[in-house]
Amino acid sequence: MSRPHEPHQPFFPFGNPFRMLSSSHLSRKLLILSNTFEETLAGRLGRLNPKDKDEVLGFSWMKLAMESLCETHNDIKTLITELELPVCDWDEKWIDVYLDVSVNLLDVCIAFSSELSRLNQGNLLLQCLLHNFKSNSSKLFIRARSSLDGWRQHVNSKNPRVENCCTILDKLVKSLDLPKVKNSAKGKVLMSALYGVKVETIFVCSVFAAAFSGSGKKLLDLNVADKFIWAQAYTALQTSVNGEIRNILSSGQFPVLKELEAVDTSVKKLYPMIQDGVDLVEVEVFQNSVSDLGRRADKLSQGLDLLTKEVDSFFQLVLTGRDALLSNLRTSVTDSDGRLMGNGIERV
């Protein structure tokens, strides 16, 4: 991993995730459920591996990554149902740690949403800029320069919430190493599947954090045991994407988001024209540059909207999972109390 960490608390105390799930320990049904989940995850990770390195950190790829994460989290909900593991059979520590980690995921989503909102605010400055370009008034031209300065300062500023994602991601990384704890065969299947969910979650979230902060320190490199069906697909994906992001950052490119960088390129091209004034000979060049900025700004706006929806969907998925767990816990307690009351034992 890219950063050292101290001893930690397990995510789900089901046992060692690196212990082979073999037919000697699992029934045919459990093996099929486990293999189906892993094969699906392997295919999903494979589709995330970009064919062209230029796709990395583009909104289309980031949208696909968040969609993939939502699908994997939905798969684990389906697996729990198929395993027939009622909440009343869950260990108390398991529940406590799950609730704690899900809160961390919600915090990550909030940080990403705040950054997308911040970038949308910067987009308003661009719209104001483009509106001012429609006039030949020297006064409005001065306002356009002000808008350009404001936009450049805005996109180069840091978001404290994104910066704090580093600490949250470290907590999730620490949850990957699980102690050996005796449990049921169903529990081992679920624990192994949850390990895969966490690995993909950490990967996607660390990529987003690196993209939004422009810092390679947010990237995490995880070593996954070959015995997992999806291990090879994950390693190839991590090597490809993290490697390209590090290349981008080492070149000094900022911002690193493709659509945002495209807008920044147009802004840098326009800025000296506005600063020095536009001669009659350069009017056509200037107008073409403004049009180019307008197209790139529209593409940025559309990408931000689509990615915001996907992050919101993941937030709702995690939140719904927490609510369902708490609801089931309340129902289990109520049913248990009801049975006690029926036997003539009063509640304390």
Side-chain angles (χ1 to χ4, degrees):
M1 298 176 196
S2 62
R3 293 191 296 270
H5 53 266
E6 299 176 354
H8 48 268
Q9 186 180 26
F11 184 91
F12 281 90
F14 271 139
N16 190 340
F18 302 108
R19 180 180 295 169
M20 180 76 76
L21 295 175
S22 65
S23 57
S24 62
H25 296 97
L26 300 179
S27 68
R28 175 177 170 77
K29 177 184 176 181
L30 292 181
L31 274 174
I32 291 175
L33 288 176
S34 178
N35 288 342
T36 298
F37 180 88
E38 289 205 18
E39 288 168 0
T40 301
L41 179 58
R44 193 170 289 138
L45 294 172
R47 287 190 294 275
L48 263 186
N49 201 340
K51 297 178 180 179
D52 187 339
K53 65 179 183 179
D54 289 336
E55 296 177 20
V56 178
L57 298 188
F59 281 140
S60 294
W61 183 87
M62 295 179 74
K63 177 177 177 291
L64 180 63
M66 193 55 67
E67 286 176 345
S68 174
L69 199 54
C70 288
E71 290 170 357
T72 300
H73 278 256
N74 273 321
D75 281 353
I76 202 70
K77 291 168 61 178
T78 301
L79 180 63
I80 290 174
T81 300
E82 293 175 335
L83 287 174
E84 299 178 346
L85 274 174
V87 174
C88 59
D89 290 346
W90 290 15
D91 186 275
E92 185 177 349
K93 292 181 180 179
W94 174 9
I95 296 171
D96 289 342
V97 175
Y98 169 77
L99 293 174
D100 181 59
V101 173
S102 60
V103 164
N104 289 330
L105 288 180
L106 292 176
D107 287 340
V108 169
C109 288
I110 290 172
F112 292 164
S113 294
S114 74
E115 177 61 11
L116 290 167
S117 177
R118 192 182 74 85
L119 293 176
N120 263 317
Q121 291 172 6
N123 214 39
L124 293 176
L125 291 172
L126 285 180
Q127 297 305 320
C128 179
L129 172 71
L130 292 168
H131 176 75
N132 288 335
F133 281 148
K134 294 179 181 179
S135 172
N136 292 323
S137 169
S138 59
K139 187 175 182 180
L140 290 177
F141 224 63
I142 294 173
R143 292 177 183 174
R145 288 202 298 269
S146 176
S147 295
L148 266 182
D149 288 330
W151 187 84
R152 296 179 73 178
Q153 291 174 8
H154 189 79
V155 297
N156 284 289
S157 62
K158 299 292 184 180
N159 186 336
R161 285 183 172 176
V162 173
E163 297 300 310
N164 291 335
C165 278
C166 183
T167 301
I168 300 174
L169 290 173
D170 274 341
K171 292 180 182 178
L172 295 177
V173 171
K174 291 174 183 178
S175 75
L176 289 172
D177 299 328
L178 304 177
K180 296 180 180 180
V181 178
K182 292 182 179 181
N183 213 299
S184 67
K186 289 183 179 181
K188 290 179 181 178
V189 171
L190 182 57
M191 173 275 302
S192 180
L194 283 168
Y195 177 77
V197 174
K198 288 185 290 176
V199 167
E200 185 184 8
T201 301
I202 291 169
F203 167 74
V204 172
C205 289
S206 71
V207 167
F208 273 52
F212 291 146
S213 67
S215 171
K217 294 180 180 180
K218 301 294 189 298
L219 287 177
L220 296 167
D221 296 307
L222 305 177
N223 295 318
V224 177
D226 292 337
K227 58 191 65 177
F228 292 103
I229 295 174
W230 48 267
Q232 186 175 355
Y234 174 76
T235 300
L237 171 65
Q238 178 177 260
T239 300
S240 174
V241 173
N242 285 6
E244 178 58 22
I245 293 175
R246 289 191 173 102
N247 286 336
I248 292 172
L249 293 173
S250 64
S251 69
Q253 178 180 314
F254 189 84
V256 295
L257 290 172
K258 296 295 184 181
E259 286 80 359
L260 193 60
E261 194 272 335
V263 170
D264 190 52
T265 299
S266 291
V267 168
K268 289 177 179 177
K269 184 177 180 180
L270 274 171
Y271 198 80
M273 296 184 191
I274 298 173
Q275 196 73 19
D276 302 331
V278 180
D279 296 332
L280 291 176
V281 180
E282 300 174 327
V283 169
E284 185 176 354
V285 175
F286 174 75
Q287 290 176 342
N288 289 337
S289 297
V290 171
S291 298
D292 183 59
L293 175 60
R295 286 191 296 271
R296 293 183 177 187
D298 287 341
K299 189 174 182 179
L300 171 63
S301 179
Q302 293 169 8
L304 288 170
D305 289 344
L306 291 174
L307 193 54
T308 297
K309 290 178 181 178
E310 291 303 325
V311 172
D312 288 345
S313 294
F314 183 58
F315 178 89
Q316 290 300 324
L317 183 60
V318 175
L319 186 61
T320 300
R322 281 178 55 84
D323 289 344
L325 173 61
L326 293 172
S327 177
N328 287 332
L329 286 173
R330 286 192 291 268
T331 300
S332 298
V333 171
T334 300
D335 290 345
S336 177
D337 289 343
R339 287 193 294 271
L340 290 173
M341 293 288 285
N343 290 327
I345 302 176
E346 295 184 2
R347 294 173 61 185
V348 178

